[in-house]
Amino acid sequence: MDGWEPKIVAFLCNWCSYGAADLAGVNRLQYPPNFKVVRVPCSGRVSPKMILAAFRNGADGVWISGCHPGDCHYIEGNYYARRKFALFRTLFKHIGIDERRLHFSWISAAEGPKFAKVANEVVDAVKEVGPAQQLVKTKAQVG
Amino acid sequence: MCDNCSCNPYKPYPVRIEEIITETADHTLKTFKLVFVNPEDEEKFKYIPGQFAEISIPGQGEIPIGIATSPTEKGFLYFTIQKMGKVSGYIHQMKPGDIIGVRGPLGNWYPWDKMEGKHCVIIGGGCAFSTLRSSVEYMLHPDNRPKFKDIHVVYGARSLKHLLYEDKIIPWRERDDINMHITVDSIADNEEKPTWGCNVGFVPTVVEEKIKDPSDAIVIICGPPAMLKFTMPVLDRVGFKHDQIYLSLENRMKCGIGMCGRCNVGHQFVCKDGPVFTLEELGELPNET
Amino acid sequence: MTSKRFTKEAWGKAVEGLRESYKVWVPAKEGAHHFFKEYTDDITPDFEATKTRMSPKHTVFPQSERMFEYSLESSDADANIMKDTPKDYSPQAVVGVRPCDAYSFNLVKINFDNKEYRDPWWANRYESTTFIGMGCNEPCSTCFCDSVGSGPFDEKGLDVLVYDMGDAYVAKALNEKGEKALAAMNGGQDAAEADLTAAADMAAKVEAPSKVPTDKLRSQKLNDLYDADFWDELASGCLNCGACTFACPTCWCFDIQDESWNREGEVRKRQGDRIRNWDSCMFPLFTLHASGHNPRGLKVQRVRQRFMHKLKYYVDKYDGGTLCVGCGRCVEACPVNIDIRQVFELMNDFSK
Amino acid sequence: MKQYTDTIKATAKRLLEDGTVDCFIGFRKGTMPMINHPVVITDAAKADTLYWDGNCGNNLALYLTGRKADEKIGIVATGCVSRNINLLIAEGQVTREQLYIVGAPCKGMIERRSVEAAVGHREILSVNEEGEKLIVEGKGFKEELNRADHLQRNCVTCRHHNPVEHNDILGSEVSEPAEAPVFTDLEEAAAKSDEDRWNFFQQTFESCIRCYACRNACPMCYCPTCFVDEAKPQWVGKSSDKVDTMTFHFLRAFHLAGRCTDCGACERVCPVDIPVRYLTNKLNRDAQEFYDYSAGLVAGERPLLDQYKLTDIEDFIK
């Protein structure tokens, strides 16, 4: 598909990865503009229904990034997130969706370069799979 | 075979929001002035005070709202809407000029044929006053006023800031062909007492004070459950019979035309057989509202 | 009126041939159950099917139906204006429908097409539908059609009644619509007088195995039944799922939903649909006000509503029979075995 | 079974009479073969209507939620039901002190669909359990089946037949297989490509009629407002559109991650025979594999997603 650019919804933790995105920008690190960023208070706040809502509304990929284990602003939010997403991910694959559409990372506010690097990886991975068709809400198939 | 013509009861008339009047200081109640996009639709939308319509917002849904204008007011419709759920919350963010839909008029109306030649008592509270505004406006029209004997209106709101339609109700107080009894639950110490002589107290108390004679009269009443609960015994004490009292009910609705099945109380559909019932009729139905 | 006799093989061909002039619905097996399906090349009709899992109400009243469509893109001239959506009202035939199911459309009609309002989609589709029904030689053990105004060979809802005579089908047109459909079915021969007599004799002997009492429902006081003491225990096991209401041929309640989506390839250009879906009085959301108040917030209130609607409200409102055709589907579909036959007894025989 | 029934009747009668419980949750014999009627009784005189056999596959723990905090409740609990009770206690829906649990060691519940298929979908008028046999009778036929061949699929893979928590127990405990269960459908799915799995998922769930019986039969689905019913925002459409149906099933299953005891109630109640456990089982097996966790086995243990270990897997996180 010529010129196709993936649309990726990034749920970024306010206390770390969101800052890292900022820092990457300030440092003029190159990362692709494919992201619609949703700032969340904690990666633990991201509910599966939000991820599905992103795909339903036409996202080609979703990226969730939070604080490194031990660094959570709320002490343990990202530990709960880790369990939740480990299971979410396998169920997602189980229904037949390519796991390259779904990405998770721990990026602290100081890791601007890591943010740029992961952002590039995420875009590349989603580009590999192409535009999302599954779970996209379109005109209802009804009578 | 005509779901394409205007007889489709589900198809709303397109209307433009002409003006939005914020009724209460807390912004929870706004009155929307709507104008038909196709002027010929106004002719088709012939309504009688007491009826309601479905306000239809594309992409959001529909809500049943009482019509606050009187058919004697031409060229526009008023709907007073409390910010509450998905659709009402959405319309509160809309702007003049936006296009929405209106579907109706729906339901029955206050018993205008029975009220002719009688004293009329109109009791309302809160945002439920909308169809009562319609009714009073209608009755006061020079063509209609001679049809009715004395008119008493008791209207209560939580506070001065929650009074609706001040542009109408205060001038009505000045007229000698209607007895307006406006009351608020309380006036705060730091609030200025209005010069137009507002009562302070609950609706039932004011009814007890002002309404003395049940003979040859019809009561129409619309308001929140608590108001109804405490006003009914007062009306009993005054001596009103249950077939003299008309209530307007509300329920969750979708179709508004008696088909979708959710708004029934017993075997009556509030949307089609109501919303106006006599107290006598309601006595025959289950207490499920 | 015409009557024809078809060998079973000829009947199969005739129904297939009917597809040239009608959209045809037939019972077909999917998994363990039969369902009414649109007869396409990959469908094998099974006219021996006794009772389909779901009723054929969707042939006239689909589970989800688009009412209107509209643009939500403000730069469009027609943004936010409801547009009709194209509908196909060309003739359709429901072949193999059982008499009770066909009768259900008669009961439901008053809801969708009455002196005040006419639901265009239901009414137009109903008018374009021909019911070619199969009499029930052996009703299932849960059937009680003849207690509630229908019967194994009831003709009220049908345009053609078909008798299964073992080696052949005898089809009898019951009205103009039926005549027309029968004329479009090739391969049969005119039925002999003896065929019709044999069919009638056979039919006269068939009875539904279950019986329910209905004689006192009309005279019961509505509020007495409403306040009756049996509801709590009856409802205690209910899951409040909608299986009974969705399987029921006479449950007509629906919801209206607006939904929107991105136009293909464009993220922020929204397009919308107004869709109506089957709804169920079993769901709390059915009656929930935006304020949070719910007149039927309790399970027992919802269970009571379902049965009161069918066996009392409808009876009183239209002064006719019950809103139940005795198909027994809810008895079979209910995952917790709430049995409407017992509710008939409780309500009919109730005394304060 | 007769012994279970008699003991349940006697226990319920005693508990209701002496005021140990205010209500008793059990089953009545159904009006149709292979289905019983769950019921909450409050009157000791009705204890005699209680019943037990191999068709009590609805999860009675369902009826524990949303009750008054001071209500004392008697309940019959098989292995899976007792695990659900543990979970409901851990999630604060009911307290152990409120409950009088009559444990019912379980040899598996009968799969109605399997019996129906075995007699070629002829109409069944009665099914009697006689030891290890099922006597199936209909108009013009009588067949004898092996009970063990017609168990609910979740009962075949069940490894916890005995109640893990109880006040009384009916009869003696039954033996529980030691070897790990094999989930054929999961094995098959794992061998497929993403695309084939997607097609399978879509086809399997397409016939859903959105009656929500699976959700409503589940004792763990007690949210006051289910995500399906939320309006602001609306997460999922309500029509029979495929995407909405799939979204519903995916999220319903995920909400049970680490909370599912595989009681099979969801699958049992589906009126259109969708194998809904296809999703929950995947989560159950992953919970076992990743965290060595099976829901509800230990009284007082927090649900899987309400706890963590520092060493939890994170190989998927960049």
Side-chain angles (χ1 to χ4, degrees), chain B residues 69-199:
Chain B
T69 33
S70 154
T72 53
E73 297 169 287
K74 300 286 180 204
F76 62 96
L77 297 171
Y78 272 168
F79 291 93
T80 302
I81 301 176
Q82 185 168 15
K83 188 171 163 180
M84 195 57 93
K86 178 182 175 185
V87 180
S88 57
Y90 191 88
I91 197 174
H92 264 247
Q93 297 166 7
M94 295 185 88
K95 303 266 177 306
D98 288 346
I99 303 288
I100 58 173
V102 166
R103 185 157 71 79
L106 302 167
N108 65 357
W109 45 83
Y110 294 120
W112 299 111
D113 52 338
K114 293 208 175 65
M115 287 160 78
E116 274 190 30
K118 295 221 167 103
H119 301 295
C120 303
V121 180
I122 294 173
I123 304 170
C127 59
F129 196 64
S130 54
T131 55
L132 300 180
R133 178 204 178 278
S134 167
S135 303
V136 177
E137 181 71 23
Y138 172 79
M139 296 167 89
L140 292 180
H141 190 271
D143 290 353
N144 298 326
R145 184 62 192 90
K147 295 179 196 161
F148 309 101
K149 291 185 175 172
D150 292 354
I151 301 174
H152 282 271
V153 177
V154 180
Y155 167 45
R158 260 190 293 162
S159 73
L160 290 169
K161 286 181 186 144
H162 288 87
L163 284 171
L164 301 175
Y165 317 125
E166 288 191 34
D167 62 320
K168 285 283 173 190
I169 58 171
I170 294 167
W172 285 344
R173 282 196 83 257
E174 310 301 321
R175 296 173 65 137
D176 52 13
D177 56 353
I178 175 172
N179 302 292
M180 279 300 285
H181 313 290
I182 302 171
T183 181
V184 294
D185 294 356
S186 62
I187 295 181
D189 293 341
N190 57 355
E191 258 177 323
E192 203 174 317
K193 214 165 176 220
T195 52
W196 43 268
C198 183
N199 296 289

Side-chain angles (χ1 to χ4, degrees), chain D residues 169-206:
Chain D
I169 190 151
L170 302 166
S172 48
E173 296 206 338
V174 296
S175 66
E176 295 173 344
E179 78 280 10
V182 181
F183 296 99
T184 338
D185 53 342
L186 296 186
E187 304 291 342
E188 282 167 12
K192 284 181 193 156
S193 68
D194 283 348
E195 196 188 338
D196 288 348
R197 269 203 307 279
W198 173 257
N199 290 336
F200 175 79
F201 173 57
Q202 217 173 343
Q203 282 156 13
T204 309
F205 287 83
E206 200 172 33

Side-chain angles (χ1 to χ4, degrees), chain B residues 1-5 7-12 14 37 56-62 84-86 99-100 103 105-107 250-252 254-264 266-269 272-273 283-289, chain C residues 67-68 70 72 79-82 84-85 87 89 111-114 116-121 124 127-128 222-223 226 252-258 260 274 276 279 285-291 293 295-296 301 304-305 313 316-318:
Chain B
M1 297 275 175
C2 61
D3 64 44
N4 292 321
C5 77
C7 66
N8 183 340
Y10 294 100
K11 193 165 188 179
V37 170
S56 171
I57 304 187
Q60 303 299 318
E62 296 186 314
M84 195 57 93
K86 178 182 175 185
I99 303 288
I100 58 173
R103 185 157 71 79
L106 302 167
E250 54 175 21
N251 238 346
R252 184 180 175 114
K254 288 282 182 177
C255 69
I257 54 176
M259 292 180 186
C260 77
R262 59 180 40 63
C263 70
N264 70 302
H267 61 286
Q268 302 283 39
F269 291 118
K272 189 169 103 174
D273 305 317
E284 311 268 296
L285 298 177
N287 183 18
E288 189 178 75
T289 46
Chain C
M67 306 168 79
F68 302 106
Y70 45 82
L72 290 167
N80 293 324
I81 309 260
M82 296 277 160
D84 292 304
T85 152
K87 295 284 172 189
Y89 297 126
N111 189 58
F112 286 114
D113 192 0
N114 49 47
E116 293 99 349
Y117 294 105
R118 181 176 185 276
D119 181 298
W121 304 293
N124 288 343
E127 276 162 19
S128 66
L222 189 147
N223 275 334
Y226 184 88
W252 62 54
C253 293
F254 60 87
D255 184 19
I256 299 176
Q257 287 278 320
D258 277 49
S260 55
R274 182 159 289 170
R276 74 148 157 223
D279 205 345
L285 198 65
F286 189 57
T287 48
L288 179 70
H289 294 197
S291 65
H293 170 68
R296 292 198 281 269
Q301 293 172 322
R304 175 171 56 195
Q305 162 67 19
Y313 299 158
D316 284 8
K317 195 173 182 73
Y318 303 112

Side-chain angles (χ1 to χ4, degrees), chain D residues 256-267:
Chain D
L256 294 165
R259 305 167 68 235
C260 171
T261 61
D262 200 20
C263 69
C266 49
E267 202 161 283

Side-chain angles (χ1 to χ4, degrees), chain B residues 194-206:
Chain B
T195 52
W196 43 268
C198 183
N199 296 289
V200 177
F202 296 114
V203 167
T205 323
V206 178

